[in-house]
Structure formats: structure tokens, C-alpha cells
Amino acid sequence: MEVQQFYYDNKVVKKFLYATLLWGIVGMSVGLLLAFMFLFPNITDGISWLSFGRLRPLHTNAVIFAFVGNAIFAGVYYSTQRLLKARMFSDFLSNFNFWGWQLIIVAAAITLPLGYTTSKEYAELEWPIDIAIALVWVAFGANLIGTMIKRRQRHLYVAIWFYLATFVTVAVLHIFNSLELPVAALKSYSVYAGVQDALVQWWYGHNAVAFFLTTPFLGLMYYFVPKAANRPVYSYRLSIVHFWSLIFIYIWAGPHHLLYSALPDWAQNLGVAFSVMLIAPSWGGMINGLLTLRGAWDKVRTDPTLKFMVVAITGYGMATFEGPMLSLKNVNAIAHFSDWIIAHVHVGALAWNGFLAFGMIYWMVPKMFKTRLASVGLANFHFWIGTLGIILYALPMYVAGFTQALMWKDFNPDGTLVYGNFLETVNEIMPMYWMRAIGGTMYIVGAVVMLYNIVVTIKSGQNVEDELAEAAALTRVSGKRTVGETFHTWLERKPIQLTILATVAILIGGIVQIVPTLLVKSNIPTITSVKPYTPLELEGRDLYIREGCVGCHSQMVRPFRSEVERYGEYAKAGEFVYDHPFLWGSKRTGPDLLRVGGKYSDSWHFNHFYDPQTTSSGSIMPSYSWLIKNEHDRGDIRAKMEAMVTLGVPYSQEEIDNAEALMDAQAAQIEKNLYSDPDFVRSYEADKAYAQENGEEFIEMRDREVVAMIAYLQRLGTDIKIKETDELLSENNK
């Protein structure tokens, strides 16, 4: 039998490892800054690009796609070559994957703080960057599949199945959720509206967790845990059941993010049913991982790599038990919009993704650099301070979530809310926010210690960029199943067929849920009184999106007595038909805004943006003073309205032609309303006099961004007249 010599490409693995370490520290640092913003709201006072609303998506993108993404690529490129006994298919594609991904991360780091965002959670990046993501991801997939075709190992190991499913599903999710109509170089509108946009977004959002944060890491678990423990995987059969059931069931679970919302009940119930089923394959994977360590538990006591991996798998088990539990409607009614969800997410992110990445790095670096880990003691320190950090982060957030739910729903004997002021809840949970900040600090200290340990380890080792390996060439065999060969054994040597079957498995759930919601009109009953936003309101909505207000405020009143009493009439599907994108939100750091229109004066909103504490004592909302100072750029309004017409919003040509005049008239009325406040008049006239004395250009109030924002907020919820709701259903939808 001919034995061939070849070289594994360690260069690309090292690049991704270095990027993982760099972006991990960056992403966690932004998260820590955000945690301290809850305690010191004006810590970045007056700096628009360092405001909470703009930094939150930067944090989530940095830790998901920069830290975890680079860790995935590092682990996949390392393990794939060794599992397939072949160098990656193309060095060019490997390098294109690396440099393209880093450029995308840098583009996100620039555009998100500047306010260029779609507002769709985990998919905030604008359309040119979305196209770049698709190109780089396809290059990764082509490289992966090309390597499988030229492999020297006949059967594809379970880790490879998970890598394949990850490639296919993320591609499908990203493309369909990112369908948007460009308006300018960094501005677009989602092609979906309201309820449909919400369903597609959370089909993507939940499965970004499933197929970016879970399936590739399960593949890495199946490779690195047996390697670190020097034990075979516990059960081959369990891995087969685990893989196919997980990828089929996971894709259905997205609607559990939208329970009690305006999403049709049938879609919600499908999401619940499949979410509950999801616990079986998830725990199947956890059990397979932990039982792989049978006979090696004595090694766990001394090996920090295995310690990280054990806690990672345990964290995965906890998060995947909690996820199905949170999808139960009675539990979701308590947890949704609260800090319970923040705790749940971070158990998965910090323990499962973070610790498995750390364990993988501690194992890989000494192997690639032909040396020993510089300090086992520092690695153990990292493990313990990181574990304590997770506990100190998660437990207070669970307490905060329970506290929020209890206070939001508490009634007096006379039927009034005990805590009618939303800020009473915020003030009650401030100690928990302090503990979270401390826990986050401990976690990032551990990451910095790891960085030092790895740098010292690398310096003590050898820089082997092309690692010599040898394996027998793969001889051709019949494409048909041989005698005694099971279907799955046959499938494991057929990468194309495996890819096709995995694609079919993940497409079924998406098609069943999304297509009827898009095409069957009765799912979204229209309401005749709901009209498109005026040009100024549309511009204000875009400013609301730019500032990331949806990160703290929901626009979805659920049909609960407590919410109707606090906010007003519950949400109807037909209210959102002109919302491109939807802005229902997923967290209430502040109150819901669906019915805020007309609730406060224009002057109140003006003061609230300038200094929230003057209108809402104890508020942790930062000042948005730049909205008051900045001139409003209205140059794209016609293009925006024409794009909306393309998406089905019924603006007339006359409205588009007269957009500027309509904006001026509405802005002038808001300015007039502001003049009714003596304090505003004194401040405004003083600013005007100062500008004139110093020869500075003075921007009229009607031309400032805050006026457009006020116009949007005053519109919210005013289309619905509660007592007439039933009468407002259009005839063709009765």
C-alpha cells in the first residue's frame, strides 16, 4: 500500500488562534464596559459612538463572531486536516477565510459604534458587510468540502458531520434573514415586515445560537475531548442519533422567542413543541461527552485542559435543559424580557463556548509548538477564577430576573399595580448589577492570564508552520453499499450525499414555519386605521434604530393583565405591517414603548433625551445630548420612501414628492409645542444668543435630530383605538 507524505497547514490555525485571543479580550472588555454602564450610566457621557445602544451589538458581535468564530475556524482547520489525513484543499481559500473574516470584524467594529445597524439581533451588520460574510463563508465551505473530497481517510468522523451541518445551515440562515433592500451605501430595510420579520429574525437568531455556537462546538467536543482524555468517544450510535435529531429539531425552535407576541398561535405552539423535544438530543450530546471521560476522571484533577472541558460540557447541559424549560409558556411568561434570559445566555456563552475554547487552546498550542504549557498553575488559576466569575455573573442575574417578574406582576387588593413606576424595579436590582460586573471582571482577568500563559508557551516552543504527516492513499471503492454495510456507514464515506441530507433535514422546519406566515394572509390581519409613518416619523424611527434603543425598550405588549394595566392595549399583528424592520425587542431595561405615543408632552421627551434623571428620578438611561445638538440629515428621505413603496408600503407619489415640505410642517409643530415650556425657551434662546455672539452657525430646533425622534415616539400606538379594535379589522380579513 502506497504511503504518501504531506504537510498539515499549521499557519492558518495559528492565525485563527491569535485572532481568537485578541478578539476575546476585546469583546469581553466591551461587555464589561456595558456592565458598568448599568452602574454609571454617564460613564461615556456625550460620546455618541460609546453609548450603550451602539456598543451592545458590538459586544454581541465581537464575542459571537470574532471570539467564538475565530475559535471555531482554528479548531475546525486543525482537526479537519488530521481527521481526513490531508492538508486543507486550498491555501488560498484558507487565507481568504482568515483575512476576509478579520476585515469583516474590523468593519463591524467601525460601523456599529457609528450607528450603522439593521437592529436585527446578531444580524445587525449592514448589507455590504452581509455580502462579504456570505462570500467568506462560502470560501470556508468550499475549502472544507474540497478537503473531504481529497481525503486519505475513508469514513468521515462525527466531528466532520457537525462541521458540514454548520456550514450549510449558517449559509441558509444568513442569506434568508439578511434579505434587505439597500437605500444607501450603509442603509437598508428588511424585505420582511412586522410579524413576518420577527419570525424570520428569530428563526435566524435562535439557530445562530444552534448552528454557530452549538453544532461546531459539538464537533470540536467530539474531537478534542477524546484527544485530551486519551479515550475513545463513549458511543458511536449515540453520536449518530445525537447529530441527526439535533439538526432536524433545532431549526423549528425559533418561535419560542416570540411567545405571547403577535405571532400566530400555531407558529408559537410549534416552537414550544420542538423546543421541549430538543432536550433529548442536547443531553444525548452532553452524556456522550461526559461519559467519554470514563476511566479518565483521575486525570481531570490534574489536567487544567480537561477541567475546562468538563465545565464546558456541564454548562452546555445546564443551558440546554434551561432552554426547553424557558420555552414552556408559563415559564416564558415570567422570564421573557427579564435578566433571567441574560443569565441563561451567559451560562452558555461563558461556560460552554468560552471554556471549551480555552480548553482547546491549552491543548492545541503545546502540540503545535512542540513544547509544554508554560504554567499549569496559571492555567488552574484561570480555571478557578473563570468558574467563580461565571457563578458571580449568572446567579445575581437569575435573582434579578425573578425580582423583575415578581415586581412587574404584583397587584394591590384594589387592582392597581404595586410598583406602577417601572424604575422601582430597576433600583431594586442594582446590587445584582454590581455582582455581575464583579463576576465579569473575574472572567476577563482569567482570559488575560491565559493570554500571558499562551504567549510564554509559544516563545518557548518551535515555530512549525508545515507539519509533516504521512498516510496511505485512499483507494477507490464501489459507490454502492457493500454487503453488511449499514446505510449510515455508507453515508459516512459520501460527503456530498451527507451534505445534501443534512440540508434537507434543516430546511423542513424553516419551510413549514416561514412560508405560511409569508403567504397566508389570514396570519396577519390588517387594521384599517394603521397608516404608514409620515416622512419625519420614518426618519425618527431610523434614528431610534441608529441609537440602539431596541436594546433596552420593547415594543410588544403581551396579553397579560399586568402589562395591559401598565402599558395599554396588547399588541395586534396588524399594527406592524409597515415596520421594516420589526422592533419588538428582547429585553426590558426600560419600559415598553408600544403605547407611549401621546403619553408625555414633546417637552418631556426633549428633557428626557437631554438628561433622563430630570424627568425620571433614578433612571439609568444615559443622556443623548447629541440628538439635541446634531442637525438632522434628511437627504435620503425620498429614496427611503421609494424603497418602502417597493416593499409594499402605500406611499403616494405626491407624498414622496412633497416629503420635505411634510417634514418641515410636522417639525415646525413640534418646535411650537416645545416653545410652550418656559425652561426650554430660556435654554434655547440662550444657545441662540451664544451662537450669534461667537459667530457660530445656529441650527433651528425644527432641523435637529431630536425633533424627528420625538415625532416617532409620539406616533407609537396611536393608530389603535382600544374600544374600536374589533371594528378596525378590514372586511377581507374578517
Side-chain angles (χ1 to χ4, degrees), residues 38 56 121 257 322 326 331-346 393-394 396-409 422 425 429 433 436 551-552 554 558 563 567 585-590:
F38 282 79
R56 182 186 179 273
E121 209 152 351
H257 290 262
E322 191 179 18
L326 286 169
V331 179
N332 186 276
I334 299 168
H336 194 56
F337 290 134
S338 80
D339 282 310
W340 183 344
I341 305 303
I342 307 301
H344 166 63
V345 167
H346 283 81
Y393 187 112
M397 287 295 95
Y398 283 118
V399 174
F402 302 150
T403 302
Q404 287 168 316
L406 290 170
M407 292 180 74
W408 290 345
K409 296 173 180 291
F422 188 91
T425 310
I429 59 179
Y433 286 154
R436 169 175 66 176
C552 288
S554 60
R558 298 176 293 177
E563 295 202 7
Y567 302 119
S586 58
K587 169 77 165 64
R588 284 181 184 152
T589 302

Side-chain angles (χ1 to χ4, degrees), residues 295-328:
W297 283 100
D298 57 325
K299 195 177 177 184
V300 175
R301 288 186 292 107
T302 57
D303 186 349
T305 298
L306 282 177
K307 284 191 180 78
F308 278 106
M309 291 179 176
V310 167
V311 171
I313 298 168
T314 305
Y316 172 67
M318 292 169 63
T320 53
F321 170 78
E322 191 179 18
M325 181 178 70
L326 286 169
S327 72
L328 298 172

Side-chain angles (χ1 to χ4, degrees), residues 174-215:
H174 173 70
I175 290 168
F176 280 95
N177 187 51
S178 298
L179 291 176
E180 48 215 357
L181 188 63
V183 176
L186 288 171
K187 178 62 183 175
S188 64
Y189 291 121
S190 172
V191 300
Y192 314 105
V195 172
Q196 296 159 337
D197 193 41
L199 178 61
V200 174
Q201 158 58 26
W202 282 112
W203 169 74
Y204 163 89
H206 180 78
N207 290 301
V209 173
F211 288 90
F212 200 86
L213 297 178
T214 303
T215 53

Side-chain angles (χ1 to χ4, degrees), residues 21-93:
L21 295 167
L22 168 67
W23 294 120
I25 300 294
V26 171
M28 294 172 204
S29 298
V30 177
L32 189 60
L33 174 60
L34 294 172
F36 277 105
M37 283 181 173
F38 282 79
L39 306 168
F40 307 102
N42 292 314
I43 196 172
T44 57
D45 189 31
I47 308 173
S48 61
W49 53 275
L50 288 179
S51 63
F52 180 91
R54 298 197 193 182
L55 288 183
R56 182 186 179 273
L58 179 64
H59 165 59
T60 56
N61 278 266
V63 293
I64 294 172
F65 301 111
F67 169 55
V68 174
N70 277 297
I72 289 168
F73 289 129
V76 168
Y77 275 106
Y78 181 90
S79 60
T80 295
Q81 295 182 84
R82 286 151 180 84
L83 288 170
L84 300 180
K85 299 292 187 289
R87 189 182 181 90
M88 292 306 296
F89 174 70
S90 165
D91 284 4
F92 169 77
L93 288 178

